[in-house]
Amino acid sequence: MLKVRVIPVLLLKEGRMVKTIKFSSYRDVGDPLRTIRVYDAQGADEIIFLDISATIDGRNQLLGIISACARECFIPLTVGGGIRSVEEARKVFAAGADRISVSTAVVENPSLINNLANNFGNANIVVCIDVKLDNEGVCRVSTHRATRITQLKPVVWACEAAERGAGEILLHFVDREGTMEYGYDLTLLSEVTHAVSIPVIACGGVGNLQHFVDGVRIGGASAVAAASIFHFTDQSPIKAHSYMNGAGLPVCLA
Amino acid sequence: MIFIVDYGLGNLLSVAKAFQEVSGDKKVAVSRNAKELETATHIVLPGVGNFVTGMRYLNDLELVEPLTVQVVQKKKPFLGICLGMQLLAEVGEESGETSGLSWISGRARRLRTGGLKIPHIGWNDVEIMNPYPLFQGISRSREFYFVHSYCLDCPHEYVVARCTYGDTFTAAIQKDNIYATQFHPEKSRDAGLKLLKNFLSISC
């Protein structure tokens, strides 16, 4: 039976691992390689890197980190942040990524999804949707690390992304990110998972292990991602697996 | 020397790193050089990508003929991974019908999952039908990592492992010196590394 994946997310900035709250107020949380080794040992099913470096130097550091990580961790690595073309994607794959994640670039140029899928296969293209509430409290797709809000509705965009060849959606709840309080937005998550026939990874807001279970049971997520709970509490992928197994979900057990 | 075919697609570095981990003294080359291919002891066709693009790149790089000589005529141990397994078919159905390498009679067709999400992404159980030599020493309860929308339909006698996701499909094959897995051994932790090691223990 296919297992539900538990995926730690690492946010990288200029080669360092950072943690944010609602995509701002950066805080340095350490050395990415050391962290990845820990997550690997704790049974993470996959790792997502999201790079927010503003400089070329920072971007090159990212490639170095992925390459070092691929050398010692034999689990899937999904890498996103600033990929704007097939050529850039090729570099990221060449550095050791197994799958890539794209967000702002494909909102601005949706046909990039088709191009990436034609080159690298649908299954390896993850479209990350940064969901943010607008002034009227309506969920919208945001871009540029959630500094710009578009008129796009997440469900509509998820369907278009799937239609164009996305293999998976990473649904990122910006307003909950780093808050560790309410878990995923289960209403929106469920709306998206029902609307698309591709798998959906939920991310943003997890504060306890029950939030993972709810994301799958109520939200219909195929995989559950989180950052803060693994950075700042004593919870780990292995404990998450055990808890989810206890709740009757199929997971990889150590 | 282990020759990993660099046809411009795929998670080449991941595959190379995994082989370096288990290769001992053997050199690992990521290459598209047909001359270098002649000196290979083991040949690996990795797989991230689309069937049509994969075949086009192999054709454009003029690798089909040299690979066929080394694998089909000289019978060097060959491992196809994911798309590298599907390309062995006569025909691929991804983005219209395309001719494959035709080293195995069969078709690469879309998964039939009965409503489950496609692509099939993540860790799934593999039912091992014949453990020798690829799965030797690997516990029957180990999961492997899959990421694909298509799979290979081929004669039963070549199937050495199966996987079920809605429907049951081919997870690994073996035909003489030709081996292939639909899952990614390079991304399947210890069980995957063991499989790669088993492949390297096969000699020409």
Side-chain angles (χ1 to χ4, degrees):
Chain A
M1 184 181 265
L2 181 65
K3 315 300 183 217
V4 177
R5 283 165 289 153
V6 174
I7 309 177
V9 176
L10 270 74
L11 201 58
L12 298 174
K13 192 171 195 293
E14 316 296 335
R16 293 288 292 176
M17 196 168 70
V18 295
K19 192 62 209 74
T20 54
I21 296 173
K22 299 183 186 182
F23 278 31
S24 55
S25 64
Y26 299 106
R27 169 172 165 193
D28 189 312
V29 288
D31 170 35
L33 254 185
R34 196 173 305 153
T35 308
I36 291 154
R37 282 187 199 119
V38 172
Y39 290 154
D40 183 28
Q42 291 173 338
D45 296 307
E46 179 171 338
I47 290 181
I48 297 179
F49 293 90
L50 296 176
D51 182 57
I52 54 169
S53 296
T55 63
I56 297 289
D57 189 37
R59 310 267 315 143
N60 287 337
Q61 285 181 38
L62 166 77
L63 298 183
I65 290 165
I66 302 164
S67 164
C69 181
R71 196 171 296 132
E72 46 185 282
C73 297
F74 303 103
I75 54 172
L77 308 176
T78 297
V79 180
I83 298 169
R84 307 193 69 86
S85 66
V86 168
E87 282 321 303
E88 281 173 21
R90 200 182 303 281
K91 274 186 207 159
V92 176
F93 278 119
D98 299 291
R99 303 202 297 149
I100 56 159
S101 164
V102 281
S103 60
T104 298
V106 292
V107 173
E108 292 178 343
N109 172 21
S111 66
L112 178 59
I113 300 174
N114 307 65
N115 284 340
L116 290 168
N118 286 339
N119 273 280
F120 306 109
N122 295 24
N124 305 302
I125 310 304
V126 180
V127 169
C128 174
I129 303 182
D130 292 331
V131 178
K132 198 167 163 51
L133 295 174
D134 68 11
N135 293 335
E136 284 152 18
V138 180
C139 285
R140 302 288 185 189
V141 176
S142 67
T143 61
H144 300 84
R145 290 290 306 157
T147 56
R148 297 185 204 171
I149 297 186
T150 70
Q151 288 301 303
L152 272 173
K153 288 195 170 154
V155 175
V156 174
W157 175 230
C159 291
E160 182 178 344
E163 185 70 25
R164 287 179 177 276
E168 192 158 35
I169 299 288
L170 172 59
L171 198 59
H172 209 158
F173 305 106
V174 175
D175 302 292
R176 296 176 181 231
E177 196 265 334
T179 61
M180 296 180 66
E181 275 186 88
Y182 305 112
Y184 306 123
D185 177 342
L186 297 174
T187 311
L188 181 64
L189 177 58
S190 165
E191 223 180 299
V192 172
T193 57
H194 281 95
V196 296
S197 62
I198 59 175
V200 176
I201 308 170
C203 189
V206 169
N208 62 55
L209 300 181
Q210 182 60 34
H211 288 152
F212 287 139
V213 174
D214 292 344
V216 178
R217 275 275 152 71
I218 304 171
S222 297
V224 286
S228 299
I229 190 170
F230 298 134
H231 287 313
F232 301 131
T233 77
D234 66 349
Q235 300 299 0
S236 62
I238 207 165
K239 286 184 183 172
H241 282 150
S242 165
Y243 185 89
M244 292 161 77
N245 180 52
L249 295 176
V251 289
C252 289
L253 294 171
Chain B
M1 179 259 286
I2 303 153
F3 187 99
I4 297 170
V5 183
D6 172 10
Y7 58 129
L9 284 177
N11 58 344
L12 294 166
L13 192 102
S14 287
V15 176
K17 299 285 189 215
F19 270 104
Q20 278 161 7
E21 185 76 11
V22 298
S23 61
D25 298 339
K26 274 201 160 68
K27 190 180 157 229
V28 179
V30 177
S31 170
R32 54 181 62 173
N33 181 325
K35 268 264 164 277
E36 201 172 7
L37 179 63
E38 290 173 11
T39 65
T41 58
H42 294 78
I43 298 166
V44 181
L45 188 61
V48 169
N50 169 297
F51 195 101
V52 179
T53 316
M55 278 315 294
R56 196 179 68 225
Y57 282 32
L58 284 178
N59 280 314
D60 288 353
L61 293 165
E62 297 178 347
L63 283 168
V64 174
E65 176 69 25
L67 279 170
T68 307
V69 168
Q70 298 300 318
V71 177
V72 180
Q73 293 174 17
K74 300 203 166 168
K75 301 214 173 292
K76 288 185 178 171
F78 169 91
L79 180 67
I81 299 173
C82 195
L83 177 65
M85 165 157 150
Q86 295 167 18
L87 292 174
L88 303 178
E90 291 161 307
V91 176
E93 295 179 359
E94 191 172 5
S95 319
E97 298 221 334
T98 313
S99 297
L101 292 168
S102 304
W103 297 351
I104 298 273
S105 55
R107 296 174 77 81
R109 56 133 176 113
R110 193 164 167 84
L111 287 168
R112 291 187 283 260
T113 62
L116 296 177
K117 303 271 187 183
I118 293 184
H120 172 221
I121 300 176
W123 299 78
N124 205 336
D125 304 306
V126 165
E127 184 193 351
I128 301 165
M129 334 281 290
N130 176 6
Y132 298 102
L134 275 193
F135 293 91
Q136 201 170 355
I138 295 172
S139 151
R140 282 179 179 266
S141 62
R142 293 308 294 266
E143 302 92 352
F144 288 88
Y145 183 78
F146 290 84
V147 49
H148 63 124
S149 305
Y150 289 78
C151 63
L152 178 67
D153 265 347
C154 68
H156 294 302
E157 64 258 39
Y158 305 143
V159 178
V160 296
R162 301 188 300 197
C163 177
T164 300
Y165 181 63
D167 195 13
T168 299
F169 64 89
T170 310
I173 58 160
Q174 173 183 338
K175 182 196 174 195
D176 305 325
N177 58 315
I178 298 174
Y179 301 82
T181 63
Q182 181 56 66
F183 53 83
H184 289 267
E186 78 281 10
K187 289 283 129 183
S188 297
R189 298 184 185 277
D190 297 350
L193 293 179
K194 175 71 177 145
L195 186 144
L196 297 182
K197 202 169 180 178
N198 288 342
F199 169 69
L200 293 183
S201 71
I202 301 162
S203 50
C204 193

